[in-house]
Structures are given as structure tokens and as C-alpha cells.
């Protein structure tokens, strides 16, 4: 039976001890016995020291890399510029330049540089005017006192579907680049087997939640506000003189008759930039609400509506406070991104 054992590479310290003992006149066998190192290894290290003057590993050991530094930099530049470029496409372009590597080698190269394949975030399709309006809004409100945000009633509508489908796509990006425009996929609102809800919240907690029957038109929207806004303002303890209504620029909100109706109410309306769900913290609650409702596996729309109302009532007031206390960070993020989508 072969009694030889596979040994680990000797440390620099052991190699230096071998040389020290050799310089002091010790023989190969003596050094081998004292340090428990095979005689052949002792001889090899001493011979290497005599030739190269060092016991360190020499350059060029191991398998030669398929991709040199220049090709690696070229790959990183390519995915930085075009994050949706696949490893197969990169492989083809390298091959056209005379470099033949596998897609696994390209994957490894990208991973080592911190560019991992991830699904792109879905964000609104922002045009130049949208980015400009978002940036102006953020700059105008970034220094508002905290008490201003504490008296805002945040409102919105959402659809909760019975079944949600996720389309998987990937981009090559670094950890903190998820919301750069090139790493996101624009999305638009779409329908399905679902129930629409109107809801609101403030720093002190969640307000009313109302299901919408059929398609909500401008008149339906006005009746919803009539039933729920002041009731929520009273429930949440907002200042009667200084509370502010937030709403987005959905057509039923900005229709002429809706605007006239709102003026008649003498409510203060927060001027809102279009395509800015990341600036409305209620989106966090919609996401959470959908998650907890889907987790209960509703089997029909009536059950979905029931679960939604039950779960909305359970939303913690501490979370409402936390979202509003940190609201300024959203504005800072919009300014930093020059009006582009943010992580919120």
C-alpha cells in the first residue's frame, strides 16, 4: 500500500528554516528529520535558493490565464457601458478579435470585478421633462421642516392581483448601481384579475382603505375623497389648519372637474411631479400589503378584498413614523441622481 501522504505547500517560515540549517552546515537528512519534511523537498528548496537566491514562489507558476489584463479591462468597460450584454455576446466579440474563451471564464472575470448578473429593477419610464420636474420638486422641498411632512396625508390607488408574474431579466452591475437608469427596466401600469384600492396614511398611522368597484372615473374619485379624506385627517390627528393632501397626476386626479371640486374644498394640495412613485412612501405599504395578502393565498377576488382590509388595519404606526422621519433622504437621492429613479 502506498503510505505517502499528500502534503500542503510549505510555508515561507519552514522554507527559511531549511536554508538557515543548511547554512549552519546541517545535512539534508538531518534537516528532514528535524523539520519533518521529505528529503527530496529539502533538496529542492536548497537547490532553488542556490539558483534564484529566494525561497518565495516564482512568477509564472500555475495554469496560464485565458484572459490577459487588457482583455479583462475591455470586458468590464463593455458591461459598464452596456449592462444587458450577455456573456455569449461578449464571447463572440472576443473571438472576433482572436481571443477564444468560454462563457464561464467571462462570468468568472465579471464576478471577480464585482459585476454580478442580477435582475434589473423596474422603474417608471422617465422622460427629460419628468426628470426636470422631479429634480425641481426635490430641491424645493428638501429643506422643509419635519412638521410639514408630518401633516401630509399621502394617498394613492393600487391594484392587487390574484396572481403576480415576474419576468426575469439580468444586467451586469455592481452592488450599489441597482437604480442607475441603464440597470433598470421601464414599466407601465397594467391590469388583470384584480381589485383596485384607494388608501391613505400619515406619519401617525394608516388612514382609510376603500375598494373601488369597476373603473374609477373622476366623479368616482371625488366621492372617494369625500368619504375618506377628512375622516382620515381626524383619525390621524393632523392639524386642521396646516394639513396637506398629496395625490399623483393620474388623469382622474387632474381632470378639470376634479380640480374645480378640490378648489371648492379649500384643501392645500401638494404639487406633485409626474412619474414619481419613489417619492410617495405609500408605495412601501402597497408592496407590503400585496406581499401579506398573497401570502394568505386568496382564492377569489372577494377573499382578496377581505384580506386586504384586514392586513391594512394591522400596518404598524411605527413604520408610518419611520417612513416620514426619513422622507428627506428620498429628496436627497433624487437630487443626487439628477432626477432619475432612486432605490425607494
Amino acid at each position: 500500500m502506498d503510505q505517502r501522504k499528500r502534503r500542503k505547500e510549505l510555508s515561507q517560515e519552514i522554507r527559511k528554516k531549511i536554508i538557515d540549517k543548511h547554512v549552519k552546515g546541517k545535512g539534508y537528512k538531518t534537516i528532514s528529520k528535524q523539520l519533518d519534511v521529505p528529503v527530496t523537498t529539502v533538496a529542492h528548496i536548497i537547490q532553488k535558493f542556490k539558483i534564484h537566491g529566494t525561497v518565495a514562489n516564482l512568477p509564472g507558476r500555475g495554469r496560464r490565464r485565458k484572459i490577459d489584463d487588457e482583455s479583462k479591462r475591455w470586458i468590464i468597460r463593455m458591461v459598464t457601458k452596456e449592462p444587458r450584454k450577455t456573456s455569449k455576446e461578449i464571447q463572440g466579440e472576443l473571438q472576433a478579435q482572436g481571443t477564444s474563451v468560454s462563457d464561464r471564464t467571462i462570468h468568472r472575470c465579471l464576478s471577480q470585478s464585482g459585476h454580478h448578473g442580477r435582475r434589473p429593477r423596474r422603474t417608471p419610464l422617465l422622460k427629460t421633462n419628468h426628470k426636470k420636474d422631479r429634480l425641481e420638486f426635490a430641491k424645493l422641498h428638501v429643506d422643509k421642516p419635519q412638521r410639514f411632512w408630518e401633516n401630509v396625508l399621502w394617498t394613492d390607488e393600487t391594484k392587487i392581483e390574484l396572481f403576480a408574474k415576474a419576468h426575469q431579466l439580468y444586467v451586469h452591475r455592481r452592488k450599489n448601481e441597482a437604480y442607475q437608469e441603464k440597470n433598470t427596466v421601464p414599466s407601465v401600469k397594467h391590469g388583470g384579475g384584480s381589485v383596485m384600492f384607494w388608501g391613505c396614511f400619515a406619519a401617525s398611522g394608516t388612514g382609510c382603505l376603500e375598494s373601488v368597484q369597476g373603473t374609477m372615473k373622476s366623479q368616482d374619485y371625488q366621492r372617494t375623497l369625500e368619504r375618506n379624506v377628512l375622516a382620515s385627517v381626524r383619525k390621524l390627528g393632523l392639524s386642521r389648519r396646516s394639513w396637506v393632501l398629496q395625490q399623483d397626476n393620474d388623469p382622474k386626479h387632474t381632470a378639470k372637474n376634479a380640480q374645480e371640486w378640490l378648489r371648492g374644498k379649500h384643501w392645500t394640495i401638494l404639487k406633485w411631479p409626474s412619474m414619481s412613485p419613489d417619492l410617495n412612501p405609500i408605495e412601501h405599504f402597497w408592496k407590503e400589503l400585496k406581499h401579506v395578502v398573497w401570502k394568505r393565498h386568496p382564492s377569489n377576488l372577494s377573499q382578496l378584498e377581505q384580506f386586504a382590509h384586514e392586513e391594512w388595519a394591522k400596518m404598524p404606526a411605527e413604520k408610518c413614523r419611520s417612513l416620514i422621519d426619513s422622507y428627506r433622504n428620498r429628496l436627497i437621492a433624487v437630487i443626487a441622481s439628477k432626477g432619475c429613479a432612486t432605490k425607494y
Side-chain angles (χ1 to χ4, degrees):
M1 179 183 287
D2 189 354
Q3 298 294 328
R4 291 177 298 176
K5 296 181 180 179
R6 185 177 181 85
R7 292 177 177 266
K8 294 182 179 179
E9 185 176 44
L10 291 183
S11 67
Q12 293 282 350
E13 183 181 358
I14 296 297
R15 298 180 196 185
K16 288 178 181 178
K17 286 182 178 180
I18 291 173
I19 299 302
D20 289 342
K21 291 181 181 293
H22 173 69
V23 170
K24 291 177 181 178
K26 301 289 185 182
Y28 288 8
K29 291 184 178 180
T30 302
I31 296 172
S32 171
K33 186 175 181 180
Q34 290 179 352
L35 298 178
D36 191 25
V37 176
V39 175
T40 53
T41 302
V42 171
H44 174 75
I45 290 174
I46 293 172
Q47 186 67 18
K48 176 182 178 180
F49 181 78
K50 288 179 179 178
I51 297 173
H52 301 286
T54 180
V55 294
N57 290 335
L58 298 175
R61 298 173 78 246
R63 182 179 175 183
R64 187 175 179 181
R65 287 163 52 180
K66 283 275 190 176
I67 301 180
D68 57 25
D69 290 339
E70 184 178 352
S71 297
K72 185 176 181 179
R73 288 193 295 270
W74 181 85
I75 291 171
I76 294 170
R77 283 197 304 268
M78 177 179 288
V79 298
T80 300
K81 185 177 179 181
E82 302 179 62
R84 291 180 178 82
K85 184 78 74 173
T86 67
S87 58
K88 288 289 186 183
E89 291 170 336
I90 297 173
Q91 183 185 30
E93 294 194 28
L94 283 172
Q95 198 161 8
Q97 297 176 10
T99 303
S100 179
V101 295
S102 68
D103 61 339
R104 289 186 63 185
T105 299
I106 295 169
H107 272 298
R108 186 164 55 250
C109 170
L110 291 171
S111 295
Q112 289 171 352
S113 66
H115 291 79
H116 304 285
R118 306 179 192 272
R119 278 185 289 176
R121 299 294 193 269
R122 295 187 177 274
T123 60
L125 181 58
L126 295 175
K127 298 180 181 179
T128 302
N129 61 307
H130 297 141
K131 297 174 188 177
K132 180 181 177 182
D133 291 345
R134 285 164 52 82
L135 189 58
E136 288 179 357
F137 176 87
K139 289 180 176 179
L140 182 63
H141 293 86
V142 70
D143 292 322
K144 285 281 187 181
Q146 187 63 25
R147 64 179 176 275
F148 173 84
W149 301 113
E150 290 173 355
N151 278 296
V152 173
L153 185 69
W154 304 90
T155 72
D156 195 22
E157 300 88 26
T158 193
K159 282 185 178 181
I160 303 183
E161 300 178 358
L162 273 176
F163 307 102
K165 296 180 180 179
H167 181 54
Q168 295 188 355
L169 293 172
Y170 291 88
V171 294
H172 294 289
R173 62 169 177 82
R174 293 183 184 276
K175 184 178 180 180
N176 60 346
E177 297 176 348
Y179 285 90
Q180 288 188 9
E181 189 171 17
K182 63 185 179 181
N183 294 330
T184 62
V185 174
S187 63
V188 296
K189 294 182 179 179
H190 60 280
S194 60
V195 177
M196 175 178 274
F197 295 91
W198 177 94
C200 64
F201 93 103
S204 52
T206 53
C208 299
L209 180 74
E210 183 172 292
S211 56
V212 178
Q213 304 303 320
T215 302
M216 178 181 268
K217 298 180 180 179
S218 181
Q219 292 80 6
D220 302 317
Y221 178 64
Q222 294 165 38
R223 288 190 286 269
T224 298
L225 296 185
E226 185 73 60
R227 288 189 295 268
N228 296 287
V229 167
L230 291 182
S232 296
V233 169
R234 290 190 293 268
K235 173 189 174 185
L236 299 172
L238 303 186
S239 171
R240 292 186 178 183
R241 292 184 177 182
S242 59
W243 74 274
V244 177
L245 176 68
Q246 180 278 333
Q247 61 175 8
D248 62 24
N249 295 323
D250 188 284
K252 58 181 170 286
H253 303 170
T254 58
K256 186 176 180 180
N257 61 352
Q259 292 299 303
E260 290 176 354
W261 184 85
L262 286 168
R263 279 193 292 270
K265 288 294 182 181
H266 303 291
W267 295 343
T268 302
I269 310 298
L270 183 63
K271 187 177 179 181
W272 194 252
S274 298
M275 310 297 283
S276 299
D278 55 339
L279 285 173
N280 191 347
I282 201 172
E283 295 292 343
H284 173 90
F285 285 113
W286 290 148
K287 182 178 179 180
E288 179 68 18
L289 183 64
K290 291 174 183 178
H291 175 74
V292 293
V293 167
W294 286 333
K295 196 173 181 180
R296 293 178 64 176
H297 306 292
S299 58
N300 54 60
L301 296 181
S302 296
Q303 204 172 56
L304 185 151
E305 183 178 344
Q306 175 192 339
F307 291 169
H309 280 95
E310 292 173 357
E311 297 298 335
W312 183 257
K314 298 177 186 176
M315 293 292 178
E318 295 80 10
K319 189 62 181 179
C320 298
R321 169 62 61 179
S322 175
L323 287 170
I324 301 307
D325 285 348
S326 62
Y327 187 73
R328 187 170 183 268
N329 294 337
R330 296 173 184 257
L331 303 176
I332 293 172
V334 171
I335 294 171
S337 68
K338 298 180 180 179
C340 289
T342 67
K343 68 179 183 179
Y344 290 100

